[in-house]
Amino acid sequence: MAEDAPENVAEPDEAPQEEEVASPPALFTSKAALSLEEAATIVGRRGATVVLLMGEIGAGKTTLLVELWAVFLLRGTIGGHRLAGSRTALALEERAYHSRVESKLESGTTRRTHETEDGFVHMRVQRPDESLREVLFADVSGEHFSRVRQGRPLLEELPWVTRTDRFVVVIDGAKYAALGEREVMLNAARRQLFALQNSGAVDQRARVAVCIVKTDQMSDDDEQSFISDSGSLLEEARKIDDSAVCLAIAARPADGSAAVGLDSFLAWLCGDDRIPKRAPPVVDAPLRAISRFRT
Amino acid sequence: MSPREGSVALLGFPRTGKSTYLGAVWQLAQDPQEPSVLELDVTGDRSYLQRLGDKVARAEELGRTEISSLEGMRLTLRFPGGDVAIDAPDLGGETLRLLVEDRVVHERLEASLVASTSMLMFLHPEKLELPMSISMADELLRASAAVPTPQPKELPKFEARAACTTAKHLDALENVLMHRRDNWPVRLGVIVSAWDMVHGSPTPETWLQDNAPALVSFLDANKDMVVSRLFGVSAQGGRLPQDRNELLARGSLRERAYAREADGSTVSVAEPLRWAVLQ
């Protein structure tokens, strides 16, 4: 995770250490995406919502993240949710920059996230009720999810996944609309849901969404087909989270119009956790100490 | 009765108007007809402030403040409402640039933050890099699609200086406010400098909402960390050097410099400093 995150991100709740004259003064933000350990130190006392965007290479995970950031910067608010800060503003800007540059080279494409760049980016969001949510987005390479589809257990691929509060299975709407790709896309999404079911890694408070992106590249017929197809996906998703939802997003409409669906996405993301119905399963997972994110 | 003491950290990227503001306040404090601020006492060398004040009085542009400069404002001022012994070092904008772009907390910035009881942050309306979403970039691309551009073999590397102004300020504010976390909520005056350069007739509030909405939402949403107030300040009264003769013809600095509250109402140029140290 974020091998080149060199900065001395400080623990906000710790008292400053004495006699550290030789040490450089602490920075409280990071230019790069954060490792899990850095994310734990950066969030502080409020606790954080950890979001995992799941999808294979090119599904639009980073595009979704970057457009969320860009719209926040441009408008300050999305559906009553306001951007209240970020400890990784520059890391988000870097992702946005690559997207802008690449969109000039090949319209509508985003630079792939490589495994060496896996990490967390942070946004502080004020909900319409004015409470604040610290949101940590895991921005990880789609290669992980390709291996999961090929049969590798999710917990082996991403051992920290037990800490996730929001699982978002991302489906590329443009590929769904392309001849011959639809079934592949649906199978890939189904495999991610099966992997979640079988992992035992989903906390009972966590929520699951199936999210189709790039809907601007789907015809009316494609949308009707997806409404039908999404039924079986939701059925699988609701075996994990009985309140699972399906969201449709056009984060970067091809006609240059405003993003669609980001408001619903944020409302779901920053909504309350599920109320556990029974004791959570015991999972032998490393980095359990990150549970101190919760308040 | 001895005056209160206040230390103000002047924050802003290079050439955002910090020194000009100090020079203008100093100059106004020398003017016996200016009711908003009066100099009571100066500690130490006043030559630096005098140089700044003279330049502002002559409607001359100020150069970039050296990072190594140890100068600034150390004096006692009388405002309506009370007397304050103010320490406001003229912190070079390079210190904030180093923090955000090079990830270095310069010792002068650190010292100023540790000592500060309040902060003034400067934004220059003509040095604003707006965020651009991918869809906007695509739209521009389509508009210029008729002219094919050569494709570079390698993508240019991201450098922090390419980040938009709001993102840089969010990064800076997260850092400086965390440095003062023992004193939350921090009093932060936000000054849109060179207010005469703002197009149209917005209020400072509507201007900031239009140009940096995420900064507005940051300040509104983090009231446990920061208490803020917004001003538009024209410390020279107009554009330099092109308007110099016209500005000088108007009379003294008192007659040409001006400031606006967030809602557009007129206040003294010294009001941001008074608010920062006195309320």
Side-chain angles (χ1 to χ4, degrees), chain B residues 144-155:
Chain B
S144 60
V147 186
T149 50
Q151 303 287 290
K153 286 179 183 164
E154 246 178 71
L155 289 176

Side-chain angles (χ1 to χ4, degrees), chain A residues 148-216:
Chain A
V148 167
R149 182 152 71 108
Q150 288 155 15
R152 186 156 195 230
L154 186 61
L155 270 176
E156 277 182 28
E157 190 63 38
L158 299 169
W160 48 266
V161 82
T162 52
R163 257 305 293 133
T164 304
D165 300 285
R166 301 287 183 270
F167 293 91
V168 186
V169 176
V170 181
I171 300 172
D172 183 337
K175 287 184 183 164
Y176 176 90
L179 197 64
E181 290 290 320
R182 179 167 302 181
E183 201 167 346
V184 177
M185 290 294 104
L186 290 171
N187 280 340
R190 207 168 280 122
R191 288 307 313 173
Q192 307 302 338
L193 290 167
F194 289 158
L196 278 180
Q197 285 172 14
N198 297 331
S199 68
V202 183
D203 188 281
Q204 287 201 38
R205 289 166 292 186
R207 290 189 181 276
V208 179
V210 175
C211 194
I212 186 158
V213 298
K214 306 180 191 173
T215 56
D216 56 295

Side-chain angles (χ1 to χ4, degrees), chain A residues 21-290:
Chain A
V21 179
S23 302
L27 281 162
F28 295 95
T29 61
S30 177
K31 190 175 172 181
L34 305 166
S35 68
L36 189 62
E37 293 83 354
E38 289 168 328
T41 64
I42 216 168
V43 168
R45 64 190 176 200
R46 250 192 297 265
T49 300
V50 178
V51 182
L52 176 61
L53 302 173
M54 304 174 72
E56 297 188 27
I57 296 166
K61 303 183 296 296
T62 305
T63 302
L64 178 58
L65 188 56
V66 161
E67 280 297 292
L68 188 62
W69 173 248
V71 176
F72 260 144
L73 288 186
L74 283 163
R75 310 265 177 258
T77 180
I78 300 172
H81 292 77
R82 306 178 85 190
L83 181 67
S86 172
R87 297 291 189 87
T88 55
L90 296 178
L92 284 158
E93 280 292 275
E94 180 170 14
R95 281 158 172 72
Y97 170 85
H98 286 304
S99 296
R100 289 167 203 151
V101 167
E102 293 222 344
S103 71
K104 287 178 188 168
L105 301 180
E106 186 186 337
S107 184
T109 63
T110 304
R111 182 170 172 265
R112 308 279 179 260
T113 304
H114 297 287
E115 286 182 70
T116 53
E117 298 167 309
D118 283 358
F120 291 85
V121 289
H122 168 246
M123 291 184 211
R124 187 179 309 118
V125 178
Q126 187 184 43
R127 302 197 310 181
D129 67 3
E130 300 200 345
S131 61
L132 294 176
R133 281 288 166 112
E134 309 283 353
V135 184
L136 284 168
F137 292 91
D139 188 25
V140 300
S141 169
E143 292 160 24
H144 295 289
F145 302 106
S146 298
R147 286 196 287 271
V148 167
R149 182 152 71 108
Q150 288 155 15
R152 186 156 195 230
L154 186 61
L155 270 176
E156 277 182 28
E157 190 63 38
L158 299 169
W160 48 266
V161 82
T162 52
R163 257 305 293 133
T164 304
D165 300 285
R166 301 287 183 270
F167 293 91
V168 186
V169 176
V170 181
I171 300 172
D172 183 337
K175 287 184 183 164
Y176 176 90
L179 197 64
E181 290 290 320
R182 179 167 302 181
E183 201 167 346
V184 177
M185 290 294 104
L186 290 171
N187 280 340
R190 207 168 280 122
R191 288 307 313 173
Q192 307 302 338
L193 290 167
F194 289 158
L196 278 180
Q197 285 172 14
N198 297 331
S199 68
V202 183
D203 188 281
Q204 287 201 38
R205 289 166 292 186
R207 290 189 181 276
V208 179
V210 175
C211 194
I212 186 158
V213 298
K214 306 180 191 173
T215 56
D216 56 295
Q217 294 178 47
M218 295 166 67
S219 68
D220 290 346
D221 286 347
D222 295 329
E223 287 183 12
Q224 285 304 317
S225 296
F226 187 75
I227 289 170
S228 168
D229 289 334
S230 63
S232 65
L233 292 174
L234 264 182
E235 198 175 310
E236 294 303 329
R238 286 178 177 160
K239 290 176 184 170
I240 313 161
D241 165 14
D242 57 12
S243 62
V245 294
C246 186
L247 300 167
I249 297 175
R252 185 197 300 176
D255 63 0
S257 60
V260 173
L262 287 178
D263 49 353
S264 305
F265 179 58
L266 263 178
W268 173 81
L269 209 63
C270 297
D272 294 333
D273 288 347
R274 278 190 295 155
I275 299 167
K277 288 178 180 164
R278 55 185 165 80
V282 177
V283 177
D284 181 20
L287 290 167
R288 202 59 182 167
I290 202 158

Side-chain angles (χ1 to χ4, degrees), chain B residues 121 123 125 190-195 198 204 207-208 230-234:
Chain B
M121 189 177 78
L123 278 168
V190 178
I191 293 180
V192 182
S193 59
W195 186 249
V198 167
W207 184 88
L208 197 64
L230 175 63
F231 302 91
V233 174
S234 176

